[in-house]
Structures are given as C-alpha cells and as structure tokens.
Amino acid sequence: MSEPELIPLARPALGEREEELVLEVLRSGRLSLGPTLERFEREFADRLGVPDAVAVSSGTAALHLGVRALGWGEGDEVVTAPFSFVASANCLLYERVKPVFCDIDPVTLNLDPVAARDAIDEQTVGLLPVDILGYPAALPELERIASEGGLTLLQDSCEALGAVDRDGRAVGSRGHLAAFAFYANKQMTTGEGGMLAVSEPELAAALRSERNQGRAPDMDWVEHDRLGFNYRLTDIQAALGIAQLERLDEMLGARERAAALYTAGLAALDQGAQAGEGDPAGLVLPCADRETERRSWFVYAVRLPASADREAVVADLAQRGVQAKAYMPAIHLMPHLRERFGYREGQFPAAEDASARLLALPFFPGIEEAQVERVCEALGEALRGNWT
Ligand SMILES: *Cc1c(COP(=O)(O)O)cnc(C)c1O
C-alpha cells in the first residue's frame, strides 16, 4: 500500500504577486528601512483603521516593544491569560514584569473578565488580553476594568487579524496598543514579522526608534539616544506583507469556508457515532460567534473527549497522513514560570482543561474539501482506537 499524501497542519498562500513585489525590492537595492517598509506600514494601518502602524521582526518583538512603550517594568504586575502562545507572557518577563494569570472563559477560551478583575491588586499596572485562536477578547469589559483601576492595556492580537469585537470594531483598532504577527501559519505572513497598531504619533516615533537600536529619525546611523533593539522588518518581508494584504479578504474567506467544512464534517461524525466506549461523540468544536463578535479563523482546534488519549490520537493521525498538534501547553505550568512564581496545577481549571484536550487539525486557505473530509474520517477512526 502506498503512503497516503501528508496533509500538513498549515501552509501559506503565496503566489505570483508575492514573487513580483519581492523581486522589485531585490532589484531596487533598498532592503531595509526603505520605502516598501513605509508602504506596508501605511497600508496595514489603513486596512485596520488606525492612525499608524509600526512593523517589527516578529509578533514577540511587537509585544516586547509594546510592554516597554507602556512603561511596565520591574515590580509591576500585569494580568494575562495562561492559555496562550508563550510569547504573551515572555514579553513581560523580558522587562521583569510579573505575569499574573487568571482563568479563561471555558467557551471562548479568552481571558475571563470577572477573573481578571479579581486578580488585580496594588501592584497591577495593566492588562494583556489575547484574542485566542482568532476569537475576539472581551475588550469592552476589559477596557472598563482597566479604566476603573487606572490600568493600561496591551492587546495580543497575533492570532486575530480580521476579527471583530462585540462593539463591531476591528480587533486592534480600539486605540490602545495591539500586536499582530506574520509567522507562516498566521492569517497573513511575511515569513517572520510583526506589527504594532498605534494611535499616538509620539508612541509610534518611540517604537520606530527602539526597533532600530534607539536611533532617532534625524540622527546619523551610529548615534543613539536611548536603549534599542534590532527588531527591524526587512523591505523584502514588507513586500510579502503588501502582497498578502491585497489578498487578505480572499484568504480570510477561504479560512472561513474551510472552518465551515470542518464544522459540518465533524458534526456528522459525532451524530454517526454509536454511544459507548471509543466513539468520537463528545468532541467540542470551536465556539460559534456570539452576537456581533466575529472570529477570524486562525487554526481549527477541537477539544477531544476527556477520556481520549491525545498523544495516541496524534500518532494515529500521523500514520494516516494527517498532521495534527496538541494545542497549547498552559503557560503557568511551564518550568520557567512555575519555578519563578510558584504557579501549580489546578489553579486555572478552564485553561488547564483546554490545554490538555485541544487538538489542532490541518487548516489553511488552500485546503481542499476532500482533504477536510479525509481529516474528519481519520479523526473518527483515530478516536475509536485510542481511548483510555
Ligand atoms: C504567533 C503569536 C505571537 C507572536 O509570535 P511570533 O512567532 O513572535 O511572531 C504572539 N502571541 C500569540 C498568541 C501568537 O499566536
């Protein structure tokens, strides 16, 4: 029997337009801090509907500069979600800020505003909500909590470009700093890259200086008036970003269609199952959009039944040519946070449950209907065979 063709977890949508714009930059000789970078920033800001946007080398770099721009530092605490990609906590550690975790909403998997309010104390200076798996965080409530407590806000929207919040506003456009990321599995990619949405001109100037070794715009290359980093995005990457922005709506639409195929395919699987040991019933699918909120589909992750053996399911799927991934480890239980702050199991049950049960399935704009069907079928079979 021949090996089934592997269906990968993610694959960027790249085409002739990307090649054309990248070639233009290569032929121009302006590879860094050139006009393509400026154009990418301008077009991204316009698309989002914010006054300015500052491009950097990664989503993590965007978060790090955001933390510094808000003046969060040693002795400060910031309330954030334990169920996230580790960068949303690491960016605080870089500046010796203590991440104070609180539990998530078990449905949306985003920071629970009630838990966030309870976690605030005298040391708290800010909130760092994450729009997890592309679902918009509860920003209207969190902003209210922040303003009551005199706190500042940094939004990690790295998984949510294109999402819309409860007030009908594009995620990242509410006026506080918001970070986006362009790694190859995100809604749009520059290979590696990130962006900060900014509404104040002085803040944007400070961010542009810090991404460039602390150099002021009117200074010579070797003069620096503050501590900075090399967090620059190249013009080659910016060219990719411009091409990806042009087709962002098309890619978001394709992701939405793929998600609908999964939702239908997995619901059928669920209904077709016989009750009892080893049936795939009990899968929890990603939550539907509530009221005016709109998810921007980032990955398609299902929660396996509690008694399914997730590791065995991943291995079984791999045998069937389907790449799947446990998604994601709870941050408070990672050694560098556990040891430093004494976090332990059982503190955030909803986050720990999500982290123990979620499985990301192959998901990208170009995925075909037949591939989604194959994944659904394979998942059904893998679940039947791997029960604890
Ligand atoms: C992707 C991502 C980031 C940034 O990742 P980079 O690899 O540094 O671009 C930050 N936070 C979350 C939640 C992410 O998913």
Side-chain angles (χ1 to χ4, degrees):
M1 209 177 82
S2 65
E3 291 277 307
E5 190 205 339
L6 180 80
I7 307 178
L9 205 51
R11 189 165 60 199
L14 302 167
E16 282 174 16
R17 184 64 175 154
E18 281 79 5
E19 291 173 12
E20 182 190 339
L21 293 187
V22 166
L23 257 183
E24 260 177 37
V25 169
L26 293 180
R27 288 176 179 157
S28 78
R30 303 283 303 275
L31 303 190
S32 191
L33 298 174
T36 310
L37 176 69
E38 280 178 29
R39 183 173 149 210
F40 179 39
E41 292 182 329
R42 186 71 263 141
E43 290 183 6
F44 188 90
D46 289 349
R47 156 86 203 200
L48 206 62
V50 293
D52 205 350
V54 177
V56 290
S57 52
S58 70
T60 307
L63 287 166
H64 183 197
L65 292 190
V67 167
R68 291 176 55 84
L70 294 175
W72 298 346
E74 185 147 25
D76 292 337
E77 296 183 1
V78 167
V79 175
T80 189
F83 182 69
S84 173
F85 179 61
V86 68
S88 59
N90 281 350
C91 66
L92 297 169
L93 300 180
Y94 299 156
E95 294 298 321
R96 301 178 191 282
V97 178
K98 179 182 176 185
V100 172
F101 297 111
C102 66
D103 213 354
I104 56 170
D105 177 324
V107 176
T108 65
L109 308 183
N110 274 326
L111 201 60
D112 174 359
V114 176
R117 186 194 297 268
D118 288 348
I120 293 169
D121 66 19
E122 302 85 68
Q123 269 70 54
T124 310
V125 295
L127 303 179
L128 200 166
V130 183
D131 304 296
I132 203 71
L133 305 180
Y135 200 85
L139 261 297
E141 283 104 313
L142 293 169
E143 274 178 4
R144 214 170 309 128
I145 292 168
S147 81
E148 280 165 19
L151 312 176
T152 46
L153 233 147
L154 172 60
Q155 190 171 1
D156 179 345
S157 298
C158 290
E159 301 188 355
L161 179 62
V164 173
D165 68 24
R166 176 120 11 119
D167 294 334
R169 297 177 65 170
V171 154
S173 71
R174 297 181 68 94
H176 48 71
L177 284 172
F180 292 89
F182 308 130
Y183 183 68
N185 70 337
K186 310 278 180 181
Q187 282 89 341
M188 59 170 273
T189 186
T190 59
E192 297 278 358
M195 190 77 85
L196 271 159
V198 194
S199 50
E200 296 146 54
E202 283 132 62
L203 214 49
L207 290 164
R208 288 198 171 93
S209 166
E210 288 206 5
R211 79 168 169 200
N212 190 24
Q213 301 290 14
R215 196 175 69 122
D218 54 356
M219 279 184 177
D220 283 341
W221 178 242
V222 290
E223 281 185 66
H224 312 270
D225 63 353
R226 57 163 77 215
L227 176 66
F229 305 84
N230 179 355
Y231 282 167
R232 295 184 298 267
L233 187 82
T234 66
D235 281 49
I236 307 165
Q237 293 166 306
L240 262 179
I242 290 166
Q244 291 271 290
L245 267 181
E246 285 176 5
R247 59 152 100 193
L248 181 60
D249 285 324
E250 174 203 317
M251 292 192 293
L252 293 176
R255 283 176 177 274
E256 207 174 322
R257 282 192 294 283
L261 289 174
Y262 267 121
T263 299
L266 294 173
L269 189 76
D270 211 1
Q271 274 158 18
Q274 301 293 311
E277 286 254 309
D279 78 45
L283 271 186
V284 181
L285 305 187
C287 71
D289 290 345
R290 299 184 309 190
E291 298 165 41
T292 44
E293 294 173 341
R294 292 291 169 269
R295 184 197 297 270
S296 169
W297 286 94
F298 167 54
V299 296
Y300 196 95
V302 296
R303 246 179 294 182
L304 300 186
S307 47
D309 180 344
R310 185 172 57 173
E311 251 179 69
V313 169
V314 170
D316 195 326
L317 286 172
Q319 292 271 313
R320 298 170 196 274
V322 174
Q323 209 176 37
K325 197 174 166 67
Y327 212 86
M328 305 165 276
I331 300 176
H332 67 288
L333 299 179
M334 291 180 183
H336 67 295
L337 283 136
R338 213 194 256 262
E339 280 154 25
R340 190 120 140 228
F341 303 111
Y343 288 115
R344 58 191 189 281
E345 260 117 31
Q347 280 185 294
F348 311 113
E352 290 171 32
D353 182 69
S355 139
R357 290 172 53 197
L358 274 169
L359 183 72
L361 302 174
F363 188 73
F364 46 91
I367 196 166
E368 292 159 18
E369 185 163 1
Q371 290 180 309
V372 172
E373 276 167 21
R374 231 184 83 201
V375 175
C376 293
E377 218 168 276
L379 180 61
E381 280 161 27
L383 278 173
R384 266 184 284 278
N386 294 288
W387 221 250
T388 55

